[in-house]
Amino acid sequence: MIPSLAGIVRVLAAVLFLWTGGGAVGAACAQSKNLAPGFEAIPKNARIAIMPTDIELFVISAGGVVEPKADWTEAATRRFRAALAQRKHALGATVVELTQREADAFEEINSLHAAVATAISLHHFGPSGFALPTSPTKSRRCSRAC
């Protein structure tokens, strides 16, 4: 079974959420070019919704055959839930974990978000051959005529 793109994006978004400190950005990072103007941190009274995770780890053989690893998946799920539980307490915001049934109501918007995030990642941070012609970063990333 090959994992769906939406499932992979959900896991990556959740990992990124935890890796970046749950979205809380310190004052030193407040001037980052990747932050919205005026955004410095998550307000203390914010509500954060956590989508259900869909974690599946697998090995891809040299021939391209996908081999799911149930023990890896179970260990990753257990560790992810433990890290999420620790992070929820540190955020200082109200964290709500959605059930799969509640999350299904947001599936369409979640898929759109995944598509937009993938496009931004590819065209803004990806290889220079994928830079959009109107991108202001195009001239910095292309060493050849694009």
Side-chain angles (χ1 to χ4, degrees), residues 89-140:
H89 296 297
L91 285 175
T94 303
V95 178
V96 179
E97 286 192 61
L98 299 178
T99 65
Q100 187 62 50
R101 186 178 186 139
E102 292 168 329
D104 286 344
F106 299 101
E107 185 61 34
E108 189 173 310
I109 191 78
N110 202 28
S111 295
L112 175 62
H113 179 269
V116 171
T118 301
I120 290 170
S121 177
L122 177 66
H123 296 296
H124 189 71
F125 301 110
S128 62
F130 291 107
L132 297 174
T134 57
S135 174
T137 60
K138 181 179 192 279
S139 60
R140 287 182 279 163

